[in-house]
Amino acid sequence: MATAYDSATTDGTNEAGLGAHLPWLAESDHGERGPRLPAVSVALWTLHLLRAGA
């Protein structure tokens, strides 16, 4: 597993062999998120996906 700034999982493979990679584009703009929609930090998304796929 690779981490960025000792906090965000950017690449990894779980025990089942599922690989996840999080390209980081600082200049990306996806607009405002609706305040009523659930959200997950981009820093935790890859870790969540790898754990859920095991």
Side-chain angles (χ1 to χ4, degrees):
M1 223 177 256
T3 59
Y5 305 108
D6 293 326
S7 62
T9 302
T10 58
D11 295 284
T13 305
N14 67 9
E15 295 83 12
L18 175 67
H21 311 282
L22 181 65
W24 195 278
L25 301 173
E27 59 275 349
S28 294
D29 181 4
H30 301 288
E32 294 289 322
R33 181 185 64 83
R36 294 185 176 184
L37 296 174
V40 63
S41 166
V42 69
L44 298 174
W45 187 87
T46 308
L47 184 58
H48 170 74
L49 178 69
L50 291 173
R51 287 184 176 170

